[in-house]
Amino acid sequence: MEIIAGFQQMIFLALSVAAFGLQLWAFIDCLRYKDENYRAVDKQSKKFWVILLGVGLALALIALPPMGMRIIFLNLIALVAGIVYLTDVRPKIKAIDPRNRKQTRKNWR
């Protein structure tokens, strides 16, 4: 039984670290773009996403083991915000960002 419990703890640790990494990536990425880009794609404001993802990042940090076993739901709440940003908001902002348009033109030549 101890082997199974140890295996479950390792899986939980790996998933918690992966969720924290995703939150960190989303938070750093949202800082890269200007507020005008967020408003141009009608996805709230930069301030909204920085606060939401910053709180999510803090929750993901708190939810890392050893505290994580007691407050796993916080990690899930934080993970939802990061996934929404990375799958819905980021692609639309990236599509209108002038820095990405220059790279696309160079790739076509």
Side-chain angles (χ1 to χ4, degrees):
M1 290 304 240
E2 289 181 27
I3 294 173
I4 294 173
F7 182 69
Q8 287 175 335
Q9 287 178 344
M10 291 300 292
I11 289 175
F12 178 74
L13 176 64
L15 291 174
S16 296
V17 170
F20 178 75
L22 185 129
Q23 280 298 113
L24 184 61
W25 174 31
F27 181 72
I28 291 171
D29 189 73
C30 86
L31 295 174
R32 294 179 50 216
Y33 300 105
K34 295 180 180 179
D35 188 47
E36 295 85 32
N37 293 355
Y38 288 91
R39 295 197 186 274
V41 295
D42 202 26
K43 294 293 181 183
Q44 296 294 329
S45 66
K46 180 178 181 174
K47 183 179 180 180
F48 171 83
W49 285 106
V50 168
I51 291 171
L52 184 68
L53 294 172
V55 169
L57 183 62
L59 291 176
L61 180 65
I62 292 169
L64 286 173
M67 289 285 296
M69 293 301 251
R70 290 181 228 132
I71 52 176
I72 190 171
F73 68 93
L74 291 179
N75 210 358
L76 293 175
I77 293 170
L79 191 59
V80 169
I83 289 172
V84 167
Y85 174 80
L86 291 173
T87 59
D88 183 40
V89 179
R90 182 179 186 258
K92 292 177 181 175
I93 291 174
K94 194 174 179 184
I96 66 160
D97 190 42
R99 294 175 291 183
N100 293 327
R101 290 183 184 170
K102 292 176 186 175
Q103 292 174 354
T104 305
R105 287 186 203 144
K106 290 179 183 175
N107 291 339
W108 283 100
R109 290 182 184 178

